[in-house]
Amino acid sequence: MITENEYNKITDQLESFTYTSLTYTPYEYIAACTILLQSNDLILIQGRNEELSMIELYFCTNSIPLLLNAVDSIKEPLYMQFVPNAYVDEFRSHGFESFVHFRDMYSYDIQRECPVNVLSIEDAKEAAAVTRSCRLQSRGFLGETTEWAESWILGKDPNASYCKHSAILATKHENIITGIVAVTLYSFDKPEGPTLWIREVAVRPEFQHSGYGKQLLSQAFAYGARYKVWKAFLMADVLNTNALLLYQQFGFSYNEDEGQIDMIRE
């Protein structure tokens, strides 16, 4: 177990490391993890990704060879997020393969008017089930739990602690939830207005290719319009061509940064 005090000491040091996967990792996500190594050049933390049935490693380092040397001593299957783009080939030489490559996407064409169907906490279980029905349709998308859906609806998700007005929106067919989109807003201090964050879009497989994805994004934009948002943000896997085509119809395009590369070693 990592104490919150230990977590704070580590995160206070992040700027002294060249590479880290902890920048966007709240304490709640690693509280049950174990610190394997801790030095001035390498911090290695071990947890468990239950969805993938793999060890998950978090790292801070000034030397990728030093990191990989430590990782080589672990013989079980591994999952690592935020692998530096420049070292992907080196990770591959140590038995890793690409799992997902997320890229930041932004849209400034967000004016939409349509009815918005906001789910209540009583809908959290069904909303989570919609996401799980899409498990691995896109690399890295594993679906969500009822607990996640509840925390998002209540505005208590640790990854969105700096956000306001979190909600899960939905499309329905004969009282069945066919698809969901999780939304929230951040950067309320900007003079131009806040940004809409689209956390994820999921449509039950049996209802896909029926226009529900477009309806969900339209609802998301209309929801943002209530708060006078000026841009929308999401992350997408660059190899999920169907999703990219949908997002591009709503004005989304890539940011020029390298994005998030996650790798696995089985």
Side-chain angles (χ1 to χ4, degrees), residues 59-72:
F59 64 88
C60 305
T61 189
N62 291 313
S63 168
I64 295 300
L66 182 65
L67 169 63
L68 286 171
N69 183 60
V71 169
D72 285 343

Side-chain angles (χ1 to χ4, degrees), residues 40-210:
N40 290 334
D41 289 311
L42 175 63
I43 297 175
L44 193 60
I45 298 172
Q46 178 176 316
R48 180 77 179 173
N49 188 303
E50 297 297 342
E51 293 287 348
L52 293 175
S53 299
M54 288 182 173
I55 289 174
E56 182 165 1
L57 294 180
Y58 303 87
F59 64 88
C60 305
T61 189
N62 291 313
S63 168
I64 295 300
L66 182 65
L67 169 63
L68 286 171
N69 183 60
V71 169
D72 285 343
S73 66
I74 301 173
K75 304 307 179 183
E76 298 176 64
L78 298 176
Y79 171 56
M80 298 183 70
Q81 298 186 65
F82 293 99
V83 172
N85 186 59
Y87 292 94
V88 166
D89 288 342
E90 194 161 349
F91 271 75
R92 287 191 177 121
S93 72
H94 284 255
F96 284 86
E97 60 183 43
S98 295
F99 183 59
V100 67
H101 185 178
F102 291 114
R103 296 290 298 273
D104 292 353
M105 299 186 76
Y106 291 91
S107 174
Y108 301 87
D109 178 24
I110 57 177
Q111 300 304 314
R112 294 290 190 283
E113 292 185 9
C114 69
V116 175
N117 182 17
V118 180
L119 295 183
S120 68
I121 195 70
E122 288 76 18
D123 299 310
K125 182 176 181 180
E126 189 176 357
V130 171
T131 70
R132 290 194 300 274
S133 73
C134 302
R135 178 183 169 88
L136 293 178
Q137 286 193 342
S138 173
R139 300 177 311 163
F141 185 79
L142 303 173
E144 304 288 359
T145 64
T146 299
E147 291 72 23
W148 169 84
E150 290 174 343
S151 68
W152 191 272
I153 291 170
L154 295 173
K156 296 182 178 180
D157 186 276
N159 272 335
S161 59
Y162 56 93
C163 301
K164 298 179 182 178
H165 308 301
S166 298
I168 296 179
L169 315 179
T171 53
K172 293 186 176 182
H173 175 73
E174 296 180 351
N175 293 321
I176 297 173
I177 296 177
T178 58
I180 65 99
V181 56
V183 293
T184 192
L185 289 86
Y186 63 94
S187 293
F188 281 84
D189 58 330
K190 300 292 184 182
E192 59 270 30
T195 297
L196 171 70
W197 175 16
I198 297 176
R199 171 66 169 76
E200 62 187 70
V201 181
V203 177
R204 291 185 187 275
E206 63 268 32
F207 292 102
Q208 291 175 5
H209 310 295
S210 301

